[in-house]
């Protein structure tokens, strides 16, 4: 069985090797590669442990410059990450961690077109007995998040809020 186009093979292999070498050189020359990982603009909500027994569901309303967006927040049991350490300090070693419930509820509401800067946030809480309670409005600011670092694209504004008996508060960072 003979090759029909041996000249194409002899040309393609060096071109492929040159391309692979060039890619490796650009990554290894001190620059940092940007991935396709992105983030969604929106608001994360943590229901404080002491308030969880009273909360069945939550809806957030975020407003800015005459625009308001309401979003139901799917709440899930909150988790803390526990570092289990590394088996070696060598780069080829492995490290591990585990999650453990922390008694909170957490969720995220995507908010398309959420701007960077000042917003007004409020929550409507559905209690276990079905009644609803609205929190007072909170004036706060979103912050840009950079899932790949500030030098890469994909940055979006996000806001972290905590809900407790007193209402909404900015989450600690």
């Amino acid at each position: 069985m003979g090759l029909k186009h041996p000249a194409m093979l002899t040309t393609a292999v060096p071109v492929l090797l040159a391309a692979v070498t060039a890619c490796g050189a650009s990554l290894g020359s001190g620059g940092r590669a940007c991935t396709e990982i992105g983030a969604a603009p929106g608001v994360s909500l943590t229901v404080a442990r002491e308030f969880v027994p009273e909360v069945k569901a939550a809806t957030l309303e975020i407003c800015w410059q005459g625009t308001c967006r309401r979003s139901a927040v799917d709440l899930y049991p909150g988790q803390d990450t526990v570092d289990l350490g590394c088996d070696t300090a060598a780069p080829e070693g492995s490290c591990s961690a585990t999650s453990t419930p922390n008694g909170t509820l957490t969720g995220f509401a995507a908010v398309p077109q959420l701007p960077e800067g000042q917003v007004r946030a409020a929550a409507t809480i559905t209690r276990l007995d079905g009644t609803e309670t609205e929190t007072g409005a909170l004036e706060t600011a979103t912050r840009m998040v950079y899932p790949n670092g500030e030098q890469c694209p994909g940055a979006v504004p996000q806001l972290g809020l905590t809900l407790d008996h007193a209402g909404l508060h900015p989450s600690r960072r």
Side-chain angles (χ1 to χ4, degrees), residues 1 11 13-14 16 35 43 48 53 55 59 66 73 91 96 101 109 112 117 119 130 132 141 149 154 164 166-167:
M1 178 177 198
T11 305
V13 170
L16 179 61
T35 69
V43 181
V55 177
T59 301
V73 181
S96 61
V119 297
E132 291 187 343
D164 61 20

Side-chain angles (χ1 to χ4, degrees), residues 17 55 83 97 112 140:
L17 287 173
V55 177
D83 182 356
T140 189

